Amino acid sequence: MLDVLDQGSSNEYFAWKPSEQTFKIDGQACDVTKFAIDPQSLQTGWGRLAKGEAPDFCWSQEAGTSIPKPSDDHKTAFMLNVFVSEKGGAPQNGWREWREIGAGAKDGLKMVWPEVEKKAEANKLVVVEVTEKKPVKIGMGSSVVPIMKVVGLVDKPAEEAAPAPAPTTTDDEIF
């Protein structure tokens, strides 16, 4: 009966956890091998994560453009809508929001993004495969980067306003 109190909370998410070398979907570690990106959903800006506080993200009006940094604690950030599937290693099929400030996730996305942009078509999602989890030096520290490659396109669900049923494909179920 009180489930209505949970509506609007963002318990559904997709995140890269470099210390664990895994993706997490809704807090559950998953061996994600494939997922689909909605390239038109890309947002760039700034994000701040602090223990005990709600995440604070500020997005530019147009992806790839700069806005003033809100505070010294904010880091560059991106947000994408992704579609995950059981076949690709998720616990269930569905849309998730991928928001990141971590260097490993940003570097992984930057490496595959030129190919994502090149393959992007209207009403299509770009399917990427995670091929490797590569430890890298970043400044004085280190991280783990998810190495991805584009492996296909699938149709975007008809309704974009809310998470929708699984995309359909004419191929033999790419993911």
Side-chain angles (χ1 to χ4, degrees):
M1 180 171 191
L2 292 179
D3 290 345
V4 70
L5 298 177
D6 293 330
Q7 292 178 358
S9 66
S10 58
N11 292 332
E12 295 184 338
Y13 66 90
F14 182 79
W16 172 245
K17 299 298 179 188
S19 61
E20 300 171 40
Q21 298 188 23
T22 191
F23 285 98
K24 283 198 173 178
I25 299 174
D26 308 339
Q28 179 180 344
C30 301
D31 186 22
V32 174
T33 57
K34 291 182 185 176
F35 60 95
I37 294 172
D38 179 359
Q40 287 75 35
S41 71
L42 177 66
Q43 293 184 25
T44 57
W46 300 97
R48 182 177 64 85
L49 302 175
K51 191 170 184 156
E53 295 180 27
D56 180 27
F57 287 94
C58 303
W59 305 113
S60 61
Q61 292 285 356
E62 184 178 329
T65 61
S66 295
I67 59 172
K69 188 174 183 178
S71 78
D72 289 341
D73 295 332
H74 281 76
K75 297 179 181 180
T76 58
F78 74 84
M79 192 285 293
L80 278 171
N81 291 325
V82 299
F83 191 90
V84 295
S85 71
E86 291 176 20
K87 257 184 138 169
Q92 62 188 32
N93 296 341
W95 284 102
R96 296 295 182 271
E97 195 172 86
W98 187 15
R99 288 196 230 183
E100 293 279 357
I101 63 169
K106 289 186 294 189
D107 287 352
L109 185 64
K110 284 192 291 189
M111 282 188 257
V112 76
W113 195 255
E115 186 70 12
V116 168
E117 279 188 311
K118 189 170 134 184
K119 296 284 186 187
E121 295 180 18
N123 299 313
K124 296 282 186 180
L125 302 177
V126 178
V127 180
V128 295
E129 179 178 11
V130 180
T131 60
E132 184 181 354
K133 298 164 185 173
K134 183 177 180 180
V136 296
K137 281 287 223 188
I138 297 177
M140 300 290 286
S142 63
S143 189
V144 177
V145 175
I147 306 298
M148 300 170 276
K149 70 176 183 178
V150 173
V151 295
L153 296 172
V154 292
D155 293 332
K156 188 184 284 190
E159 293 188 28
E160 295 179 20
T168 58
T169 179
T170 55
D171 299 330
D172 293 325
E173 292 302 315
I174 295 173
F175 73 112

